[in-house]
């Protein structure tokens, strides 16, 4: 069966099985929450519009009743004695939907129209002195009131017919009109909310929810099989935050795939190196036996070179052992003791700088400077640095190449500087300087030397840093604290000692 048609135990296709974590009931999905929130927010906006609208509707309705009352009272002006028949009076009051009309002019109060027995007034409202807040409160008071309540209202007459006009009316028609108006506003708001929420939901679903589902799907799919390149998301090219998330996710997935592939290759390489080291240790054991016999030869030259040969073979055997331990991703803890750094400075040069290259070695290490470290591990650190500098000077055929080693004590720290006057490191090497298989400055290099050196120095509680690297040369600084020293930044220690790198290092 093909991979694309692979099924699980329940018969579900593999693609659906991978997407199963993304399948959620609609009621608990992000889309449903987005839809509900959109409807609620639109309804909240409609409520905020409805409150002042209903208050304004009530004020307008009352102003219209006052205007109708004013028009009805004008019929009295056509009569000689400002009197009309009872029938006409009742018809005018009924058409205006009021019980009486009073006109205020200057200091006079004139009753224009009135029923024979007006009802008792329950409450009073002055629209001329009303504020927006009081209008809202009065509107809700009207909505909550019972039918049959009589109110007295003071309003402004039209065309400056007087200072104010006062009417008494039944509030029931006003309340019915407000309820009808509120119902219309509610249903209209509901329709607008649903339409707006639907449009907003569709827009957000297309712009956000669906791209987020795509990103989530690729995350889940990639987690299940990160080595499959087909599961790396392809960015859509969007320029917004979703596009940034897609590009960053694609970059992260690519880096994870590269890291996993590198770890797989390293695991295979580790197995091969273990086999090589096993055989190499057997070979070095034979060489060690031969070197023991050479030590018994009574020749001055042999007697002079034999100790260095023995030391080199011992270090080679120890290096094979340490390499196997490094393959298990664990270095031995440093066996620290105080010793003079100058004791093996020249030995480093002899072990790493071939005479045929003509590279000068400058030793500025004070004879009495002691460092609290593991001698073998510090030797390996300096040996790696010197070899890198030698390769940089030798491979480029630089005339007058020099490597300088110097060191100074700053309180409870020792600063060791190794500099050369080579052409400097390329930018690519600087970006991944202490990363295995990434920070090599030459073609074919593994970059393990600096990675191992950095690990060994950190095991001492110190730091190894690239001070500078340009056309004038390269300078590395190793900062090693004493066994009981504080673990502080090397730059701070150097500032306390008033020591500038340019004065302590020869380039």
């Amino acid at each position: 069966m093909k991979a694309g048609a692979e099924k699980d135990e329940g018969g579900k296709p593999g693609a659906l099985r991978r997407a199963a974590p993304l399948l959620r009931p609609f009621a608990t999905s992000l889309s449903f929450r987005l839809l509900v929130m959109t409807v609620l927010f639109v309804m909240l906006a409609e409520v905020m519009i409805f409150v002042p609208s209903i208050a304004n509707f009530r004020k307008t309705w009352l102003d219209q009743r006052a205007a109708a009352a004013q028009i009805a009272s004008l019929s009295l002006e056509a009569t000689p004695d400002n009197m009309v028949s009872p029938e006409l009076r009742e018809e005018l009051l009924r058409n205006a939907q009021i019980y009486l009309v009073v006109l205020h002019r200057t200091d006079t109060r004139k009753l224009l129209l009135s029923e024979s027995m007006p009802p008792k007034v329950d409450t009073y409202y002055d629209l001329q002195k009303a504020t927006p807040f009081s209008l809202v409160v009065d509107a809700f008071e009207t909505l909550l009131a019972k039918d049959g309540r009589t109110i007295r209202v003071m309003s402004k007459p039209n065309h400056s017919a007087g200072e104010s006009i006062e009417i008494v009316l039944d509030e029931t028609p006003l309340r019915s009109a407000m309820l009808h108006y509120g119902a219309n506003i509610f249903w209209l708001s509901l329709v607008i909310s649903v339409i707006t929420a639907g449009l907003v939901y569709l827009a957000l679903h297309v712009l956000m929810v669906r791209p987020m589902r795509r990103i989530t799907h690729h995350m889940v799919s990639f987690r299940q099989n990160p080595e499959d390149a087909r599961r790396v998301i392809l960015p859509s090219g969007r320029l917004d935050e979703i596009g940034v998330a897609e590009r960053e996710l694609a970059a992260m997935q690519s880096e994870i795939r590269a890291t996993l592939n590198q770890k797989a290759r390293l695991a295979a390489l580790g197995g091969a190196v273990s086999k090589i080291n096993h055989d190499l240790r057997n070979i070095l054991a034979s060489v060690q036996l031969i070197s023991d016999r050479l030590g018994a030869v009574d020749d001055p030259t042999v007697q002079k070179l034999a100790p260095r040969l023995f030391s080199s073979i011992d270090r080679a055997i120890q290096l094979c052992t340490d390499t196997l331990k490094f393959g298990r991703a664990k270095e031995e803890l440093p066996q620290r003791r105080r010793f003079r750094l100058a004791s093996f400075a020249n030995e480093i040069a002899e072990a790493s700088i071939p005479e045929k290259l003509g590279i000068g070695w400058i030793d500025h290490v004070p004879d009495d400077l002691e460092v609290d470290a593991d001698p073998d591990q510090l030797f390996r650190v300096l040996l790696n640095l010197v070899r890198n500098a030698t390769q940089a000077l030798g491979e480029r055929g630089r005339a007058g190449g020099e490597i300088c080693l110097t060191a100074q004590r700053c309180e409870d720290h020792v600063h060791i500087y190794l500099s050369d006057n080579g052409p400097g490191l390329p930018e690519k090497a600087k970006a991944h300087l202490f990363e295995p298989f990434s920070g090599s400055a030459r073609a074919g290099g593994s970059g393990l030397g600096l990675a191992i050196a950095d690990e060994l120095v950190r095991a001492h509680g110190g730091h190894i840093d690239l001070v500078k690297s340009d056309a004038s040369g390269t300078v590395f600084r190793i900062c090693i604290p004493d066994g009981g020293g504080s673990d502080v930044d090397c730059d701070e220690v150097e500032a306390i000692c008033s020591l500038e790198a340019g004065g302590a290092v020869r380039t």
Side-chain angles (χ1 to χ4, degrees):
M1 182 180 295
K2 294 183 180 180
E6 180 186 357
K7 296 184 177 181
D8 58 10
E9 297 177 357
K12 185 184 295 184
L16 293 179
R17 186 176 68 252
R18 291 193 299 268
L22 300 177
L23 301 179
R24 294 289 185 270
F26 181 74
T28 60
S29 65
L30 180 61
S31 301
F32 177 76
R33 296 177 183 178
L34 178 63
L35 179 61
V36 172
M37 291 179 62
T38 305
V39 173
L40 291 178
F41 288 155
V42 174
M43 289 298 295
L44 179 60
E46 293 295 339
V47 169
M48 297 177 65
I49 296 174
F50 171 78
V51 171
S53 297
I54 196 69
N56 184 67
F57 175 83
R58 174 181 174 275
K59 181 178 183 300
T60 303
W61 194 92
L62 292 175
D63 286 337
Q64 290 175 351
R65 297 284 77 73
Q70 183 180 355
I71 295 174
S73 64
L74 291 177
S75 61
L76 299 178
E77 301 293 337
T79 61
D81 53 356
N82 293 333
M83 295 292 293
V84 294
S85 64
E87 294 79 9
L88 180 59
R89 181 188 60 188
E90 292 296 331
E91 184 177 358
L92 290 175
L93 292 173
R94 185 170 57 254
N95 290 335
Q97 298 181 356
I98 59 176
Y99 293 126
L100 65 82
V101 182
V102 177
L103 183 65
H104 294 262
R105 290 180 177 174
T106 316
D107 295 331
T108 63
R109 182 175 182 270
K110 183 178 182 181
L111 177 64
L112 299 179
L113 285 174
S114 175
E115 289 188 347
S116 56
M117 290 295 293
K120 180 183 178 181
V121 175
D122 296 315
T123 187
Y124 168 75
Y125 299 106
D126 189 350
L127 299 182
Q128 294 177 303
K129 299 179 180 180
T131 62
F133 178 76
S134 65
L135 288 175
V136 171
V137 173
D138 294 341
F140 280 96
E141 182 181 349
T142 299
L143 289 174
L144 298 176
K146 296 181 179 180
D147 292 340
R149 194 172 69 154
T150 303
I151 61 175
R152 183 161 61 97
V153 179
M154 187 77 70
S155 180
K156 183 74 174 177
N158 294 330
H159 309 295
S160 302
E163 292 182 358
S164 61
I165 185 171
E166 181 182 347
I167 60 175
V168 176
L169 70 157
D170 185 3
E171 194 183 37
T172 302
L174 170 60
R175 182 172 177 272
S176 300
M178 291 177 63
L179 291 174
H180 181 71
Y181 175 81
N184 292 336
I185 289 292
F186 171 77
W187 291 112
L188 180 62
S189 301
L190 183 61
V191 173
I192 294 176
S193 300
V194 172
I195 295 176
T196 304
L199 294 176
V200 173
Y201 167 76
L202 290 177
L204 293 179
H205 181 80
V206 173
L207 294 176
M208 295 182 59
V209 176
R210 190 165 63 182
M212 286 302 299
R213 284 182 177 176
R214 177 172 177 264
I215 293 176
T216 307
H217 170 73
H218 279 279
M219 292 171 63
V220 174
S221 178
F222 182 81
R223 179 183 61 83
Q224 294 173 347
N225 188 6
E227 296 180 355
D228 189 353
R230 296 172 300 176
R231 304 193 180 191
V232 176
I233 188 173
L234 295 177
S236 60
R238 295 174 54 161
L239 301 179
D240 54 9
E241 289 79 358
I242 297 293
V244 174
E246 291 176 344
R247 289 189 291 273
E248 291 299 322
L249 177 60
M252 181 186 68
Q253 290 177 334
S254 299
E255 291 177 2
I256 292 176
R257 285 192 66 253
T259 301
L260 291 176
N261 291 335
Q262 185 184 67
K263 289 184 179 296
R265 290 193 294 268
L266 286 176
L269 179 61
V273 169
S274 298
K275 296 177 182 178
I276 295 173
N277 269 288
H278 182 270
D279 295 337
L280 184 58
R281 290 180 64 187
N282 293 334
I283 296 173
L284 290 175
S286 301
V287 174
Q288 191 175 32
L289 293 175
I290 297 174
S291 64
D292 291 339
R293 295 185 180 182
L294 288 176
V297 176
D298 191 13
D299 183 271
T301 303
V302 174
Q303 292 297 324
K304 179 181 179 181
L305 298 177
R308 297 179 183 176
L309 177 61
F310 298 157
S311 177
S312 298
I313 294 175
D314 291 340
R315 286 198 178 96
I317 295 175
Q318 184 62 36
L319 180 60
C320 291
T321 304
D322 292 343
T323 303
L324 292 175
K325 294 178 180 178
F326 180 79
R328 294 193 295 269
K330 183 171 182 63
E331 282 281 357
E332 286 290 339
L333 294 176
Q335 304 298 318
R336 305 180 69 150
R337 63 181 178 85
R338 300 187 72 88
F339 65 95
R340 292 186 177 181
L341 182 61
S343 61
F344 57 70
N346 289 329
E347 187 177 352
I348 294 173
E350 294 175 356
S352 57
I353 304 178
E355 295 183 2
K356 62 180 181 179
L357 295 180
I359 297 175
W361 171 257
I362 303 174
D363 180 9
H364 283 172
V365 178
D367 293 336
D368 58 348
L369 178 64
E370 291 187 346
V371 59
D372 184 10
D374 187 317
D376 292 333
Q377 291 189 3
L378 184 58
F379 185 90
R380 289 173 59 189
V381 172
L382 294 174
L383 188 65
N384 284 327
L385 293 177
V386 174
R387 281 178 176 171
N388 287 344
T390 302
Q391 291 168 354
L393 293 171
E395 289 181 356
R396 291 163 176 76
R398 188 175 180 87
E402 290 182 349
I403 300 175
C404 178
L405 179 67
T406 185
Q408 287 196 15
R409 170 169 290 279
C410 290
E411 294 190 344
D412 54 358
H413 287 63
V414 173
H415 289 175
I416 305 172
Y417 292 90
L418 185 74
S419 61
D420 64 69
N421 58 350
L425 297 172
E427 293 298 326
K428 181 180 179 180
K430 293 179 184 179
H432 308 279
L433 197 58
F434 300 106
E435 298 178 12
F437 303 98
S438 301
S440 178
R442 61 188 179 90
S446 64
L448 277 174
L450 287 177
I452 295 174
D454 180 66
E455 182 179 353
L456 294 176
V457 173
R458 289 185 180 276
H460 286 75
H463 305 276
I464 178 171
D465 305 298
L466 178 65
V467 177
K468 76 163 190 173
S469 183
D470 51 29
S472 63
T474 300
V475 180
F476 281 96
R477 178 184 61 190
I478 303 171
C479 176
I480 297 181
D482 293 341
S486 58
D487 187 11
V488 298
D489 185 76
C490 292
D491 292 328
E492 297 179 1
V493 175
E494 191 168 348
I496 294 174
C497 298
S498 302
L499 176 65
E500 295 185 357
V505 182
R506 176 174 176 177
T507 59

